[in-house]
């Protein structure tokens, strides 16, 4: 079962998770800023990928957040990937 | 008596911390043979094919098909031992492991007449020489973290000395191990050290070569780094698929930790290139020129 969602919902979810992981305010998490500029480590990115999979009931590759470097790019990819499926 | 240097590998407790988690848990995400090491994906389309191809590769490299006695150092859940017995008809197959759960698993198999010993390579005292030795995915546990390069090489040297002593003249050793790639020692993940494989460290290729000098001739070295990324992807996919069953066996935090571990393995081998996967074939030198650095 794949959960239906919008690009904005994915972005909000990622902003919330990254803000929580990095103890930041959500308003400071820019969707066009590359993850590496937040100082987010690889294990957190792997964990986030897994959480997105569980949340949306989709299959993602752990290298995803290295292929797409911003929340914007990832949410675009997920939406297109889901539409394709 | 054990040399002090060789006590500096992973302890039985450290090995059991990982491998004795639960046989049923590992069964959920490994292939049907329960092979827990990097598969060989050239021409393989499934995880099972890749694992069998890998086992056959090592058997071929170690000249195991013609052997009457083979030692498997770090035998896991026995897939190589069973392959040697069932497919190649090797009469005497001995496996070493420090995992009680793995030994029990092997002994529980019907008609299993492989000999599994719950002991380290540092303790093994065979009564007669082996024709072939194979070690897949154990070398990573031979040296603890934070040892000096010299200490690591001394431990590896002791391993090669033992293998040399245990092998028939001209015998072959086939070794598979993860090694340091584009990584400095301080880059080693604390998550792996603390949560996944305590008391373990990765060798560099040069350290292995130096430790084997004048004991074994290196016949072939392969680095199949990307094979590990594919293998770990399969394992992770299986674990995700069987997450509900995994939660009946273990807790949510453990399942999440293993998903992260497998994800990190994929990144390490594929994206960061921080780890390599070595498959090395050694031939025993019958008249070693010297024995060095061993006290």
């Amino acid at each position: 079962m794949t959960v239906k969602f919008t690009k904005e919902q994915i972005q909000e979810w990622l902003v919330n998770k990254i803000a929580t992981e990095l103890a930041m305010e959500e308003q400071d998490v820019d969707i066009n800023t590359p993850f590496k500029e937040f100082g987010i480590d690889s294990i957190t990115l792997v964990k986030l990928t897994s959480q997105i999979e569980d949340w949306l009931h989709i299959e993602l590759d752990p290298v995803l957040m290295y292929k797409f470097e911003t929340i914007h790019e990832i949410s675009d990819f997920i939406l297109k990937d889901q539409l394709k499926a | 008596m054990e040399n002090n240097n060789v006590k500096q590998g992973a302890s039985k407790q450290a090995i059991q911390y990982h491998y004795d988690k639960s046989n049923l848990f590992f069964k959920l995400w490994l292939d049907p043979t329960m092979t827990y090491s990097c598969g060989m994906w050239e021409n393989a389309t499934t995880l099972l094919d890749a694992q069998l191809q890998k086992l056959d590769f090592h058997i071929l490299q170690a000249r195991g098909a013609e052997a009457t006695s083979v030692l498997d150092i770090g035998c896991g859940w026995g897939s190589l031992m069973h392959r040697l017995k069932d497919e190649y008809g090797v009469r005497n197959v001995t496996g070493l492991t420090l995992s009680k759960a793995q030994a029990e698993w092997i002994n529980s198999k019907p008609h299993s007449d492989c000999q599994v010993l719950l002991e380290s390579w540092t303790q093994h005292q065979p009564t007669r020489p082996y024709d072939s030795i194979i070690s897949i995915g154990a070398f990573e546990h031979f040296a603890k973290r934070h040892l000096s390069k010299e200490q690591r090489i001394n431990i590896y040297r002791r391993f090669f000395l033992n293998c040399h002593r245990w092998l028939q003249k001209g015998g072959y050793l086939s070794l598979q191990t993860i090694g340091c790639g584009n990584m400095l020692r301080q880059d080693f993940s604390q998550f792996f050290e603390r949560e996944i494989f305590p008391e373990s460290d990765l060798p560099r290729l040069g350290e292995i070569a130096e430790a084997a000098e004048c004991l074994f001739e290196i016949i072939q070295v392969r680095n199949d780094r990307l094979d590990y990324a594919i293998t770990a992807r399969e394992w992770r996919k299986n674990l995700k698929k069987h997450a509900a069953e995994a939660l009946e066996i273990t807790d949510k935090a453990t399942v999440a930790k293993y998903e992260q571990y497998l994800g990190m393995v994929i990144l390490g081998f594929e994206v960061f290139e921080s780890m390599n996967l070595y498959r090395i074939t050694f031939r025993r030198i019958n008249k070693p020129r010297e024995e060095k650095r061993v006290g």
Side-chain angles (χ1 to χ4, degrees):
Chain A
M1 177 194 69
T2 305
V3 176
K4 292 293 167 197
F5 48 84
T6 65
K7 187 167 149 183
E8 289 70 30
Q9 284 174 309
I10 299 170
Q11 290 176 350
E12 279 169 26
W13 186 92
L14 278 165
V15 166
N16 172 270
K17 289 287 177 188
I18 289 172
T20 306
E21 284 290 341
L22 300 178
M24 291 168 68
E25 295 295 329
E26 285 189 18
Q27 66 212 33
D28 295 330
V29 180
D30 186 279
I31 64 166
N32 292 305
T33 300
F35 297 118
K36 60 184 174 192
E37 287 186 25
F38 292 124
I40 196 162
D41 62 12
S42 51
I43 195 149
T44 304
L45 292 178
V46 165
K47 190 165 85 177
L48 283 175
T49 308
S50 199
Q51 289 176 350
I52 301 170
E53 290 178 274
D54 295 342
W55 176 50
L56 299 174
H57 298 274
I58 56 175
E59 207 176 285
L60 296 175
D61 197 289
V63 305
L64 182 74
M65 293 203 176
Y66 285 84
K67 278 188 182 161
F68 305 97
E69 295 184 333
T70 66
I71 291 174
H72 190 133
E73 287 176 14
I74 282 187
S75 54
D76 261 359
F77 167 78
I78 292 173
L79 207 64
K80 282 177 192 157
D81 194 55
Q82 197 232 0
L83 286 174
K84 200 169 60 186
Chain B
M1 196 168 74
E2 283 183 47
N3 179 302
N4 278 339
N5 286 333
V6 295
K7 287 182 180 167
Q8 294 187 23
S11 63
K12 188 183 274 189
Q13 291 74 20
I15 294 295
Q16 292 181 358
Y17 169 81
H18 186 88
Y19 297 96
D20 286 15
K21 182 76 63 198
S22 156
N23 286 343
L24 291 178
F25 175 66
F26 286 108
K27 192 169 185 284
L28 288 178
W29 49 278
L30 298 180
D31 73 292
T33 68
M34 295 279 280
T35 304
Y36 190 20
S37 53
C38 176
M40 199 165 206
W41 285 92
E42 208 174 305
N43 305 319
T45 52
T46 67
L47 180 59
L48 176 61
D49 284 348
Q51 294 296 10
L52 294 179
Q53 184 164 272
K54 181 263 307 284
L55 298 178
D56 288 343
F57 169 82
H58 285 291
I59 292 168
L60 181 74
Q61 293 304 308
R63 278 60 174 171
E66 310 95 67
T68 54
S69 65
V70 178
L71 174 66
D72 179 4
I73 300 174
C75 63
W77 284 275
S79 58
L80 177 72
M81 297 167 75
H82 289 125
R83 190 90 180 151
L84 283 162
K85 274 270 175 194
D86 301 340
E87 296 297 320
Y88 293 89
V90 177
R91 201 178 314 146
N92 301 309
V93 181
T94 303
L96 308 183
T97 178
L98 285 175
S99 162
K100 199 163 169 255
Q102 291 178 337
E104 285 170 0
W105 176 271
I106 296 167
N107 286 330
S108 73
K109 293 289 157 194
H111 315 300
S112 173
D113 52 357
C114 300
Q115 182 189 33
V116 57
L117 302 172
L118 194 62
E119 64 183 32
S120 155
W121 63 270
T122 63
Q123 302 162 315
H124 187 50
Q125 300 280 355
T127 50
R128 60 182 67 173
Y130 297 102
D131 297 323
S132 305
I133 299 179
I134 298 172
S135 182
I136 305 173
F139 205 88
E140 298 90 329
H141 301 300
F142 291 177
K144 281 191 175 81
R145 285 266 292 144
H146 308 300
L147 297 180
S148 68
K149 180 179 177 181
E150 189 188 7
Q151 286 172 311
R152 274 195 309 279
I153 293 174
N154 275 339
I155 294 169
Y156 302 150
R157 180 77 178 169
R158 174 62 61 179
F159 170 75
F160 286 113
L161 273 166
N162 282 2
C163 289
H164 190 273
R165 206 170 60 239
W166 299 335
L167 267 177
Q168 297 274 16
K169 277 187 178 177
Y172 282 75
L173 159 67
S174 191
L175 176 72
Q176 174 168 315
T177 182
I178 301 170
C180 282
N182 181 28
M183 166 170 71
L184 301 177
R185 301 216 80 83
Q186 61 264 32
D187 299 336
F188 196 86
S189 161
Q190 288 193 7
F191 166 74
F192 276 77
E193 184 185 9
R194 200 178 51 239
E195 304 283 345
I196 308 297
F197 295 114
E199 301 181 15
S200 299
D201 200 359
L202 301 180
R204 288 200 179 277
L205 183 59
E207 294 168 0
I208 300 172
E210 188 175 342
E213 269 177 20
C214 297
L215 291 172
F216 285 92
E217 176 188 9
I218 295 177
I219 302 293
Q220 176 177 266
V221 179
R222 290 176 61 122
N223 177 10
D224 293 324
R225 174 172 61 83
L226 293 177
D227 276 359
Y228 221 130
I230 306 173
T231 304
R233 263 197 185 88
E234 291 296 311
W235 289 341
R236 184 179 179 276
K237 202 162 68 183
N238 288 341
L239 180 55
K240 280 268 179 207
K241 189 172 153 192
H242 297 290
E245 292 153 89
L247 289 172
E248 289 171 13
I249 296 167
T250 186
D251 56 88
K252 199 174 171 182
T254 301
V255 176
K257 189 169 80 174
Y258 272 73
E259 283 178 16
Q260 284 165 34
Y261 143 55
L262 296 172
M264 290 292 285
V265 169
I266 297 168
L267 284 180
F269 281 100
E270 187 174 295
V271 179
F272 305 146
E273 303 177 15
S274 55
M275 295 184 284
N276 291 327
L277 190 280
Y278 296 120
R279 294 178 168 124
I280 311 175
T281 310
F282 298 91
R283 185 190 62 84
R284 183 186 187 276
I285 295 171
N286 292 331
K287 291 180 181 171
R289 184 68 181 81
E290 60 172 346
E291 289 199 4
K292 59 179 184 180
R293 284 190 306 275
V294 175

